[in-house]
Amino acid sequence: MVTRAASLIDSFHPWLSPADADLVAARAHAAEIGSEASGASGAAEAQPAAKRPRPAAASVLPTPAQTRSLVARLSGNPGLAGEVLRAGEAYQGVKVATSARVGTHVFKSDAFDSFGFRLALWPRPFRGDSLADELRTFAWATRPWHGALTARQRERVTEFVTTGRIARGDLAQASQDATARLAFRDVHGIGPSRAVELWTAGFRSASSLLALPPASLRSLGVAADSARALRFAKSAFSRHPRALIERVAATVREQAALLFPGIEVVIGGSFRRGQSTAGDVDILLFHRDGPCALVPALVARLSRPECGLLTEHLKLPGPVLCMDAHGEEREFPGLRYAGPDSLRSEWEAIPDAESAETSAGEGRAGPSLVRLPSDEQQRDAEAELANVPSRPPDLLAMATGGTAASPLLSEGELCPAVPPDSPRVASPRETARVLDPLKRQAAIAALLLAPSSGNVCAAAAAAPRTSSSSSPSTRISKQASLSRSSSTFPARHPHRQGSSCANVASTDALNGPDRSTPGFHEPQLYCGIARLPAAAGAPPSEGPSYLRIDIKSWHWSQRGTALVAFTGNNRFNRALRRYADVLGLHLSDRAMCNRVLQGERPAGDRWNDEPRVVTEEAHVFKELGLEFRQPHERLVFFVDQMHSALEEAAGLAKDSRQGGSASSNSAT
DNA sequence: GCGACACCGCATTGAG
DNA sequence: CTCAATGCGA
DNA sequence: GTCGC
């Protein structure tokens, strides 16, 4: 069976690395061991870490090198891929409006996306003379569990090959709802539903709403933040070069440092992935001392006339809890919204801003949990910031720009011929079902996911550290593991009491994730609009330009998951979370934890175990058994690749169960 | 044929 | 008034 | 758009 698996991967997924086969084997082996260990309690604990069949960090998602080479040898079909992607956009326009649920359209357009990227990365062109064979090979390589393209997909490819274009007028014009959606797409906060409502009410554009008084807008169902956003059309936010993003971030960093010395300010999003331009900017804030609840204060500072960065606020963080000098939690007197009825919102600068400023020096009034970091901490933080990749390969631009194909491998290696009677393989769904009984056993998590003791993935750390003994990552992990009793991390929220252990939690079980667990802290999310500083030699004809800006902060124990979540890309996040889900884990920006299923509970009703303390991105990868990937290496086109390894894992697990205990050869 | 497909917080609305 | 459902952006 | 039920 290993042979079958290996040959399958070789045949249909030539871009998968040999490491994938190792992972597949190791995971199957671990699954079997896990089911044994669950019988004997504590066996996993007693077992020496060295003897555990832990796989070397391997990649189920395409490895960085694979992604790079994939994109580098972009296909012979850039035009076709582009057509399909554009058709997807048109289709999205229709579906957004016609579908009752937003969730549906996302995946509909996503399917086009996926298909388009697969075409883009397919290394040899489709030709009319051998189209049928090409399509079959392509289908088997990209969707082995199905083995064929859909009729629609075949149609599209054929149409392009024969006519050189893909007609999509039908999609663009198909629905009046789509037109409504398009008319208001530029307004933040107006989605499919409101767009249709407004259209039927007789409005045809965002500008026609601008003239209305606030009361009328409210009666039309336009939310307050939508009304505020009316003056800023989304399309006016052209993509901005990195340098500009950096300047904005520098302002934020400067103010944040004044407010909260030692704070770590990370620019997330596409900027962090290294793209040459960004449509918005994500500012992520962390502090080593643990809580980092200064978003309202920071927003207030950035809104002051003398700073003038933020010109409009779309969403504010909720009520903020922080600890005062006596260790009591109380509400942070943040921003006060003064003008709900005016288009021009008014924000009162915080009365406590003074106290926040002085708190750095005195630690008396205001949020005094702020402590100055040690010199060592300061150096660590700086070193970490330096790890952000300096050279940004703009992979997306390469992918969509139709770079000339430069195959590194021969066609035969890339696209082996497919026998017509190739066996059908398990689909992702089927795979998940096979894995499900296994994942209920905590032993899997213990063996595959939970590192034995020192939970730091030093090898996968972002960059080589200079000192080995007192390397930052080691120290962090110690701090993290001690955090449950450490006073620098909040013990738990006093207003929420809950049991942290799944066994005991019977009343809280129905309430979803238990956020009272140690290390959990409510993040603060802000969305707003920044007025860009006038560029030095900019033509004044353009007028002021604006930038969507998000400022968010998390507790230090959530730093890793938050960084991963807000670095993206989107597809990468979804793949990662879905993957975690299949492994019995829950992953979001704020927590990674075991997902505990209870037998009689209806499907989908779950509650989550105590979140892990995840201060480093590398922890997330490590816990999932994945190879660490730098931010600029997190472009994911093929969700399918992840599935393929899971299929094999499921197949091998099933085989090994049927074949008794004969699986000792798998993990070496 | 129909639900699911990743996840979460906030604002608004409407029912109780 | 509270609570649940919905829309929305992310 | 696709899969599982």
Side-chain angles (χ1 to χ4, degrees):
Chain A
M1 277 304 134
V2 176
T3 314
R4 189 184 77 85
S7 72
L8 196 78
I9 290 179
D10 288 347
S11 301
F12 300 132
H13 297 269
W15 46 77
L16 288 184
S17 74
D20 289 311
D22 295 342
L23 171 71
V24 162
R27 179 170 297 141
H29 181 62
E32 198 198 20
I33 301 289
S35 56
E36 289 168 2
S38 68
S41 64
E45 283 306 313
Q47 195 174 7
K51 295 190 73 176
R52 293 188 184 183
R54 288 192 52 76
S59 176
V60 172
L61 301 164
T63 66
Q66 286 163 350
T67 303
R68 238 177 286 121
S69 78
L70 272 174
V71 177
R73 56 171 133 95
L74 269 183
S75 88
N77 301 289
L80 173 54
E83 284 287 294
V84 171
L85 292 177
R86 280 187 287 275
E89 285 175 20
Y91 189 77
Q92 181 176 355
V94 175
K95 279 332 252 189
V96 157
T98 54
S99 167
R101 275 175 307 179
V102 181
T104 305
H105 97 265
V106 170
F107 274 83
K108 297 220 178 253
S109 66
D110 223 37
F112 274 102
D113 257 22
S114 174
F115 188 54
F117 276 122
R118 278 186 292 204
L119 285 172
L121 296 180
W122 190 244
R124 70 185 183 193
F126 291 92
R127 299 182 186 286
D129 50 1
S130 59
L131 190 57
D133 284 345
E134 297 281 350
L135 287 177
R136 194 161 49 81
T137 305
F138 175 75
W140 273 104
T142 56
R143 297 193 318 162
W145 54 83
H146 193 277
L149 299 183
T150 65
R152 192 72 167 161
Q153 289 172 338
R154 292 185 70 94
E155 220 175 275
R156 297 237 183 243
V157 177
T158 307
E159 179 184 3
F160 181 82
V161 170
T162 53
T163 71
R165 296 184 56 244
I166 290 179
R168 51 184 185 279
D170 54 333
L171 291 170
Q173 305 249 328
S175 158
Q176 189 195 16
D177 290 353
T179 316
R181 181 74 186 91
L182 290 175
F184 299 101
R185 76 184 331 174
D186 279 346
V187 184
H188 174 101
I190 294 187
S193 300
R194 300 252 186 279
V196 173
E197 286 174 18
L198 291 170
W199 186 273
T200 53
F203 295 94
R204 294 293 179 267
S205 71
S207 54
S208 66
L209 294 174
L210 198 50
L212 294 177
S216 306
L217 285 176
R218 252 206 319 276
S219 67
L220 283 169
V222 177
D225 47 357
S226 300
R228 267 174 272 136
L230 222 43
R231 295 180 298 136
F232 307 94
K234 283 183 194 169
S235 59
F237 303 139
S238 51
R239 294 189 69 82
H240 301 282
R242 290 179 67 83
L244 197 69
I245 303 289
E246 269 165 346
R247 271 168 59 201
V248 170
T251 303
V252 178
R253 180 170 284 134
E254 181 184 316
Q255 296 296 319
L258 286 173
L259 206 53
F260 204 166
I263 195 168
E264 179 187 14
V265 180
V266 179
I267 313 175
S270 53
F271 180 94
R272 188 155 186 263
R273 290 200 308 275
Q275 288 186 217
S276 54
T277 62
D280 68 346
V281 55
D282 285 309
I283 307 283
L284 316 180
L285 306 174
F286 310 96
H287 199 283
R288 278 175 188 271
D289 284 349
C292 185
L294 84 164
V295 170
L298 179 58
V299 168
R301 290 189 74 116
L302 295 171
S303 306
R304 287 179 185 167
E306 57 266 34
C307 177
L309 184 67
L310 300 180
T311 68
E312 197 57 278
H313 310 290
L314 301 176
K315 204 145 282 184
L316 271 186
V320 181
L321 293 179
C322 63
M323 291 179 211
D324 63 16
H326 311 292
E328 311 258 348
E329 265 192 6
R330 59 175 201 199
E331 189 162 338
F332 191 93
L335 290 180
R336 196 150 60 110
Y337 182 39
D341 287 327
S342 66
L343 273 183
R344 175 73 185 148
S345 57
E346 297 166 17
W347 298 84
E348 294 187 351
I350 326 186
D352 75 355
E354 317 86 47
S355 62
E357 287 165 19
T358 55
S359 74
E362 308 176 20
R364 200 53 97 65
S368 65
L369 44 85
V370 181
R371 289 182 309 163
L372 287 173
S374 68
D375 289 346
E376 187 196 6
Q377 285 175 328
Q378 193 67 50
R379 280 197 306 273
D380 291 348
E382 284 163 11
E384 208 132 336
L385 286 176
N387 284 336
V388 175
S390 53
R391 54 198 151 70
D394 197 341
L395 295 183
L396 193 58
M398 292 168 63
T400 54
T403 311
S406 60
L408 304 178
L409 301 175
S410 73
E411 275 194 6
E413 283 173 290
L414 285 167
C415 308
V418 180
D421 56 346
S422 302
R424 189 184 182 280
V425 301
S427 72
R429 285 263 163 175
E430 291 162 340
T431 302
R433 204 178 62 230
V434 171
L435 285 182
D436 188 60
L438 297 177
K439 77 185 176 189
R440 286 165 194 251
Q441 301 167 5
I444 280 198
L447 281 168
L448 246 185
L449 307 171
S452 44
S453 53
N455 51 4
V456 168
C457 186
R465 310 284 186 173
T466 48
S467 70
S468 60
S469 62
S470 67
S471 77
S473 55
T474 309
R475 198 175 47 73
I476 291 166
S477 91
K478 282 178 190 164
Q479 182 185 0
S481 57
L482 290 176
S483 69
R484 282 159 201 180
S485 54
S486 167
S487 62
T488 59
F489 286 75
R492 41 184 71 189
H493 285 198
H495 63 293
R496 287 183 178 181
Q497 46 181 336
S499 33
S500 56
C501 176
N503 303 338
V504 195
S506 54
T507 52
D508 277 359
L510 297 176
N511 296 333
D514 182 0
R515 291 175 183 166
S516 64
T517 49
F520 199 97
H521 183 268
E522 291 295 332
Q524 299 180 328
L525 311 179
Y526 165 84
C527 303
I529 293 171
R531 183 191 193 115
L532 293 178
S541 56
E542 292 290 323
S545 70
Y546 299 95
L547 174 68
R548 273 280 292 108
I549 180 171
D550 296 342
I551 303 177
K552 321 172 196 231
S553 73
W554 288 264
H555 192 276
W556 185 259
S557 65
Q558 298 170 306
R559 180 171 170 271
T561 49
L563 279 173
V564 168
F566 284 93
T567 298
N569 65 5
N570 231 345
R571 187 178 292 280
F572 179 82
N573 282 347
R574 290 216 301 260
L576 215 56
R577 289 172 184 183
R578 188 155 162 70
Y579 180 59
D581 188 73
V582 173
L583 292 183
L585 289 177
H586 168 90
L587 178 65
S588 74
D589 66 313
R590 53 189 60 204
M592 175 161 65
C593 52
N594 288 326
R595 199 195 58 223
V596 185
L597 298 173
Q598 206 175 46
E600 285 73 21
R601 186 162 320 191
D605 197 357
R606 57 183 68 157
W607 92 88
N608 296 319
D609 210 355
E610 176 178 310
R612 292 157 164 70
V613 172
V614 183
T615 61
E616 303 297 318
E617 282 191 301
H619 296 174
V620 176
F621 289 83
K622 170 102 178 191
E623 295 279 293
L624 295 177
L626 299 175
E627 186 181 299
F628 182 80
R629 300 172 68 169
Q630 292 292 340
H632 67 274
E633 297 167 328
R634 294 180 200 167
L635 273 180
V636 170
F637 303 133
F638 297 90
V639 181
D640 306 346
Q641 286 184 10
M642 176 185 66
H643 293 326
S644 71
L646 286 173
E647 290 159 19
E648 297 307 319
L652 289 175
K654 196 166 53 183
D655 292 337
S656 63
R657 261 178 302 164
Q658 288 167 355
S661 62
S663 68
S664 55
N665 60 337
S666 8
T668 43

